[in-house]
Amino acid sequence: MVGLRVKIERPERDEALAQRVNELMADGEVRTLDEIADAVGLAIPDDDDATIDAIVFALGLDDPHFEYLLDAEDGAYVDLRPLLAGRVFTYRLALHEEDGFVLIPIEPDLELVISPAGLERVPLAGGGEAELRRVKPADDVVSPTGAAPILLVVPRPWLGSAQDGALLGFSWSDGCLSCAEVEEDHADGDRLGRALKQEFDLTIGSHNESCEHRALTVDVMLRDPTAFQSPVAPLGAIFDLAGLGRRGDYVGRYTTKWRTPFELNRDERQELHDDVYGFDRCCHQHFDALDRAFLTHLAKHDWEPSVELAAAASHGRVSEAFVANLVGGMFEVDDLMLPLREFATALLAASPDAVTAGPHFLMATACDFADDSVSSAIALAASLDDDPEFEPALADAAVVAEERGEVTRALEYLRLMRVGSDDTQLKRLRGVAAWSRSATGRNSPCPCGSGRKYKVCCLGRELPPLIERAQWLYAKAHAFTNRPLERGAVLALAVLGDPDTDDSSLIAAINDPLVSDVALFEEGQFERFLDVRGPLLPADELELGQALLETHRGLHEVVAVHPARGLDLRDTRDASVVMVSVRGDLGRAVGDLILGRVVAIGDEARLVGPAIPVALSLRESLLELTGDDSTGEAWMSWRASIMAPPEVRNTEGEALVFHTARYEVDDEAAAKTALSGAFEGPEEIDGEAIFQAFIERDGQRWIRATVRISGGVVELEANSDARFERARAAVEGALPEARLIDVTGQPLAELLAEREGQPPVAVPEPSEEQLSILAEFGADYTERWMDMEIPALGGLTPRQAADNPTRREDLLALLRDFERMPTHPGSMSIERIREALDLN
């Protein structure tokens, strides 16, 4: 996962379990990982892919004789040894001898039959072993499709009298590899070519353009037990018969310009680099050269550091894209630190001083991976010494300068990068620069007392007072936790409350100030920021950061507003009151609730971090969270609960489920008479007799259930489980002879899902009569609301709260919340409530 520094170690192989797995799979059946684990008594936790990989290793399923079938539902495994029993794969001999040994390329013809042996030694029928040798690119042993990465090295006598052009058949016998000259079965080869084409056509539906030839061949053998039982042409030739061309491990139709997954990934990466980094053809070539060299180094193979590679790293934004590709790729950061440092060191040693910007930047990145911010800053400075406008280094150097408090330097770096005026860091730094600018004349003595002129001493290097830098320090930490290396903490929190969140909700969560604040404090990212970047911070900011770690996020009530000065805030947890200074427009009123962190700095206090306005209705739920021991998971669960759409319920507070039951009756007149004793009615409308059950609440009658009877059919409707069961008992009690036809029930969510995507129903503008009815309803509800018990008011009615000194401010805050909401013709009149309760 991108940005996560946790490295999951592989467990020890469980040899007993692995043996049981071998015994289980020896029948050649295809099984999923869940089925295998269940059969050997191992529970698989619901966890990430890294844990699953560890379980695969523990069970021995990573052994070469097990084939993973990607196209099987949920993925599955098969043991190749029983599958290959009795099968023969051929190779057209092209003699390449070396000191009495014959070198045979195994791809693609023999790869599958050789694979159960692993990548070291192959036992041979008749005694002895063959070697499996990796081929270096310089070797001249080739197969018909190009350079072979792996060779089977066999003693010449083992091949008997076979000469160039002989067709050799390879198979397994008693755990050893056998070989003999064979005659090709052309008819069966044609049949297998058609089978491979048919299997490819089936498989391609779940792939983009190609599939692995090895998996394709296994699928054919699983479908056809007779496949490869007789000698046919070499597998590469059978692919030709199927109309399939091969590149590497993949095959695709000759008739299309197909790409392997690696080529698709390369093309997508190039498009991304074009869009993000402005790459041209030259940039792509430099990137590919740098990427190949590093991957070769990472694999511990020989590579040649050169001036050309150093120049590639120093070309445009190639290094920046290269680092982003590493961080967003399959490697753990911990596995990259040392190799990247070694790689950068080798490039620096191989290059003259004129082309060191890129290698120094890579060294800075390696130090950053190792949390060595000081060495990283030194390497960035060296990179810019070589090329003062080297953009990859400028971006990181601007961050370093800001963290050090060097505003002018950071702004200069951003100017050289030509960032837009809406750049977040640029706007933040300009705000700090404006606050820190002194009124001292450029040629006047510096106010610091050095005796030098202001322009050569502190001009552009002053820092605002610490209290004015508190929010800036928080912004630095926020920027740190959103770096690619650290972003995993925010991403994990963003999905914690709702793992099935869609993209738009995920983006909203990532940008939510509360999510970032929880990542910083509950998830430890602020402490990590101080540990990693602390050596770069001014000493007083580092001290302030340590103090911030000791504060808690509290729910504060505004108890007084001091124009142009600040707010008096009461902590709802312990009732303590503190005045916080606020710059600019206060934008708060007495009674407002604010979720935030109050920090004492010298003789003053400030809200540091997000100051989130909170509706009064959320106060009780937040009081439980604002203690010192609340977890990030608890905060995200609370956030998910308030972000979830409100659950629609009926007037009795029951979840909406739309039920219908239909009955058949012989005597409709008698049924009407019986129903009139259990329900109100009937009311005759369009030939139907309608009965209803009611509930009275707040002086109004609400329908609980409706029963219709027409044509000998009685139909019952109710909108909750409880209402339906109650009404159904009443119907069946009144009509014991009725025959049930059917019963249906559908929750509101399912009903809405069925209607999703259907064209909206046009809603006509309300008539004057309808507007009048809505206005009458709103006026009536306004009067009744003032005498309802309101949970946000501690169970008091608004009328009682208005007369209660401890709840009057709560009522005012609640009304202000209502006033911020959109209104419609049936809305309550807040103005009427204020007037009636003397709240103006």
Side-chain angles (χ1 to χ4, degrees):
M1 293 179 65
V2 177
L4 293 186
R5 290 174 172 270
V6 177
K7 185 177 179 181
I8 299 178
E9 300 292 341
R10 269 188 169 182
E12 292 295 325
R13 175 92 74 194
D14 190 322
E15 297 298 343
L17 276 180
Q19 179 59 33
R20 290 166 63 187
V21 169
N22 272 307
E23 294 169 358
L24 171 71
M25 300 298 288
D27 60 5
E29 291 295 318
V30 176
R31 293 179 176 87
T32 67
L33 180 60
D34 285 337
E35 290 171 340
I36 295 169
D38 185 62
V40 300
L42 178 67
I44 298 180
D46 293 330
D47 211 331
D48 57 32
D49 291 340
T51 300
I52 297 301
D53 288 345
I55 291 173
V56 168
F57 175 78
L59 293 176
L61 288 169
D62 62 329
D63 194 284
H65 66 257
F66 288 116
E67 181 76 5
Y68 178 66
L69 306 174
L70 182 63
D71 289 328
E73 185 176 354
D74 297 326
Y77 293 86
V78 66
D79 191 333
L80 287 176
R81 292 169 300 182
L83 186 66
L84 291 170
R87 318 263 188 177
V88 58
F89 288 82
T90 63
Y91 168 68
R92 186 75 64 182
L93 183 60
L95 278 175
H96 291 278
E97 296 191 48
E98 179 184 284
D99 298 329
F101 290 86
V102 177
L103 313 181
I104 300 175
I106 71 168
E107 295 183 346
D109 301 335
L110 303 179
E111 179 186 356
L112 191 58
V113 73
I114 295 296
S115 59
L119 290 175
E120 295 179 2
R121 314 294 296 184
V122 181
L124 300 176
E129 291 182 326
E131 175 192 353
L132 283 172
R133 181 189 302 173
R134 285 195 175 276
V135 180
K136 296 180 181 180
D139 287 350
D140 59 357
V141 180
V142 296
S143 72
T145 55
I150 302 176
L151 297 176
L152 178 68
V153 184
V154 300
R156 179 65 180 88
W158 188 71
L159 297 178
S161 60
Q163 299 298 317
D164 266 351
L167 186 67
L168 302 180
F170 290 79
S171 59
W172 285 98
S173 176
D174 297 326
C176 295
L177 186 67
S178 299
C179 174
E181 286 195 58
V182 294
E183 292 291 331
E184 179 182 345
D185 186 334
H186 293 280
D188 200 40
D190 292 341
R191 180 181 70 86
L192 285 177
R194 291 191 296 272
L196 282 168
K197 181 182 183 303
Q198 182 180 11
E199 192 66 34
F200 180 86
D201 290 340
L202 290 171
T203 303
I204 203 68
S206 60
H207 289 75
N208 194 325
E209 301 171 0
S210 63
C211 68
E212 289 185 274
H213 65 74
R214 174 184 172 122
L216 186 68
T217 308
V218 169
D219 286 343
V220 167
M221 289 193 294
L222 287 171
R223 290 183 186 274
D224 182 3
T226 67
F228 298 99
Q229 293 282 359
S230 60
V232 295
L235 194 55
I238 301 296
F239 287 136
D240 288 336
L241 289 174
L244 300 176
R246 186 181 74 90
R247 286 201 300 277
D249 294 331
Y250 292 85
V251 289
R253 295 187 183 92
Y254 277 129
T255 55
T256 63
K257 293 183 178 180
W258 59 277
R259 294 170 294 177
T260 69
F262 302 103
E263 292 166 337
L264 281 169
N265 180 66
R266 177 204 62 201
D267 292 347
E268 290 172 359
R269 186 178 67 189
Q270 288 186 352
E271 291 176 8
L272 175 67
H273 291 170
D274 291 343
D275 293 340
V276 176
Y277 305 107
F279 271 24
D280 56 19
R281 182 178 179 182
C282 182
C283 297
H284 288 303
Q285 291 172 343
H286 285 306
F287 178 93
D288 291 341
L290 192 66
D291 191 50
R292 281 195 304 270
F294 180 71
L295 290 178
T296 304
H297 172 66
L298 197 62
K300 301 186 184 306
H301 295 159
D302 292 337
W303 66 288
E304 188 65 38
S306 64
V307 175
E308 290 75 19
L309 278 176
S314 304
H315 180 87
R317 299 176 67 183
V318 166
S319 286
E320 185 179 356
F322 170 74
V323 168
N325 190 63
L326 288 181
V327 174
M330 61 183 291
F331 303 108
E332 294 287 342
V333 170
D334 287 349
D335 295 332
L336 293 172
M337 290 185 298
L338 182 58
L340 187 57
R341 185 189 291 267
E342 294 170 344
F343 187 69
T345 300
L347 291 183
L348 286 169
S351 61
D353 293 340
V355 285
T356 60
H360 277 305
F361 173 75
L362 296 181
M363 179 63 75
T365 301
C367 294
D368 199 20
F369 286 174
D371 293 340
D372 185 354
S373 56
V374 174
S375 296
S376 179
I378 293 171
L380 287 173
S383 177
L384 292 176
D385 281 344
D386 178 60
D387 182 356
E389 296 189 12
F390 186 55
E391 192 164 340
L394 283 172
D396 287 352
V399 172
V400 169
E402 181 179 9
E403 289 173 340
R404 284 174 164 165
E406 299 170 349
V407 179
T408 302
R409 186 187 299 272
L411 285 170
E412 176 62 15
Y413 290 149
L414 295 180
R415 184 191 67 79
L416 290 171
M417 291 174 61
R418 298 176 180 85
V419 300
S421 58
D422 60 343
D423 181 81
T424 302
Q425 186 182 16
L426 178 64
K427 291 191 290 187
R428 183 169 65 241
L429 288 168
R430 281 176 172 172
V432 176
W435 174 259
S436 60
R437 192 172 294 122
S438 171
T440 305
R442 291 172 55 85
N443 293 310
S444 300
C446 186
C448 77
S450 66
R452 294 184 294 173
K453 290 184 179 181
Y454 175 54
K455 67 181 180 182
V456 297
C457 187
C458 291
L459 177 60
R461 289 188 288 273
E462 308 99 318
L463 288 174
L466 182 60
I467 192 169
E468 303 301 337
R469 282 183 276 140
Q471 194 65 23
W472 186 25
L473 174 64
Y474 184 92
K476 296 176 188 180
H478 180 267
F480 172 82
T481 202
N482 278 283
R483 300 189 318 160
L485 288 178
E486 315 297 333
R487 199 175 294 149
V490 176
L491 287 172
L493 281 174
V495 299
L496 191 57
D498 182 8
D500 298 322
T501 185
D502 57 25
D503 288 346
S504 60
S505 298
L506 180 62
I507 292 171
I510 291 171
N511 294 324
D512 188 330
L514 177 61
V515 175
S516 295
D517 197 67
V518 170
L520 281 168
F521 289 93
E522 277 75 9
E523 298 302 304
Q525 286 297 96
F526 194 88
E527 184 174 11
R528 174 166 165 73
F529 165 70
L530 296 180
D531 289 343
V532 175
R533 312 302 285 187
L536 302 178
L537 296 173
D540 56 350
E541 289 187 22
L542 181 58
E543 185 178 350
L544 173 59
Q546 297 294 342
L548 267 171
L549 287 176
E550 304 301 320
T551 65
H552 73 278
R553 184 185 307 105
L555 181 61
H556 305 277
E557 180 184 3
V558 178
V559 293
V561 176
H562 306 287
R565 291 174 54 209
L567 307 169
D568 285 349
L569 299 181
R570 179 170 59 212
D571 191 325
T572 56
R573 187 175 63 160
D574 58 18
S576 60
V577 177
V578 63
M579 178 183 171
V580 296
S581 55
V582 179
R583 293 183 61 193
D585 182 18
L586 301 181
R588 305 293 178 195
V590 172
D592 284 355
L593 293 175
I594 299 172
L595 182 64
R597 197 178 306 277
V598 174
V599 183
I601 306 171
D603 296 332
E604 297 185 57
R606 278 285 171 88
L607 278 164
V608 178
I612 304 170
V614 173
L616 181 65
S617 58
L618 300 176
R619 180 172 64 179
E620 296 303 319
S621 61
L622 276 174
L623 287 176
E624 301 177 6
L625 276 174
T626 50
D628 293 329
D629 55 353
S630 294
T631 64
E633 182 176 1
W635 276 102
M636 291 302 98
S637 296
W638 175 82
R639 180 185 179 275
S641 70
I642 67 170
M643 296 293 290
E647 185 177 3
V648 182
R649 295 178 174 268
N650 61 26
T651 53
E652 294 178 87
E654 299 159 348
L656 291 184
V657 181
F658 297 94
H659 291 280
T660 301
R662 295 191 304 151
Y663 302 85
E664 187 178 40
V665 294
D666 295 326
D667 189 339
E668 185 171 316
K672 290 180 182 179
T673 301
L675 287 172
S676 64
F679 298 88
E680 292 190 22
E683 180 180 0
E684 299 287 343
I685 300 178
D686 297 332
E688 278 189 330
I690 300 177
F691 301 82
Q692 292 179 320
F694 291 92
I695 179 178
E696 290 195 9
R697 173 163 290 185
D698 298 328
Q700 289 195 339
R701 284 159 53 86
W702 307 87
I703 298 173
R704 264 184 167 171
T706 299
V707 181
R708 294 180 173 86
I709 183 168
S710 176
V713 175
V714 177
E715 184 174 274
L716 163 65
E717 294 178 345
N719 66 4
S720 74
D721 293 339
R723 288 181 174 183
F724 177 71
E725 293 303 327
R726 189 185 301 113
R728 182 177 179 179
V731 169
E732 294 177 356
L735 306 175
E737 303 300 323
R739 296 178 295 278
L740 180 65
I741 299 174
D742 54 39
V743 177
T744 62
Q746 188 173 36
L748 177 62
E750 290 183 10
L751 182 64
L752 294 176
E754 282 184 4
R755 295 181 179 178
E756 187 175 355
Q758 297 181 3
V761 178
V763 180
E765 290 292 325
S767 64
E768 290 295 329
E769 180 181 3
Q770 290 170 327
L771 287 172
S772 176
I773 293 172
L774 286 171
E776 183 179 345
F777 172 82
D780 177 63
Y781 189 72
T782 299
E783 299 300 322
R784 289 187 291 108
W785 184 82
M786 288 187 280
D787 293 302
M788 293 180 184
E789 295 180 356
I790 307 298
L793 300 176
L796 298 180
T797 68
R799 203 177 300 278
Q800 292 169 333
D803 294 331
N804 188 321
T806 65
R807 287 295 182 178
R808 185 178 179 89
E809 292 301 327
D810 290 346
L811 175 58
L812 287 169
L814 188 60
L815 294 179
R816 284 194 296 273
D817 287 343
F818 288 159
E819 287 170 333
R820 298 185 184 106
M821 298 177 182
T823 61
H824 55 78
S827 297
M828 286 195 307
S829 171
I830 307 305
E831 182 180 355
R832 165 61 186 154
I833 294 171
R834 287 184 178 278
E835 179 184 351
L837 302 182
D838 193 22
L839 296 174
N840 289 319

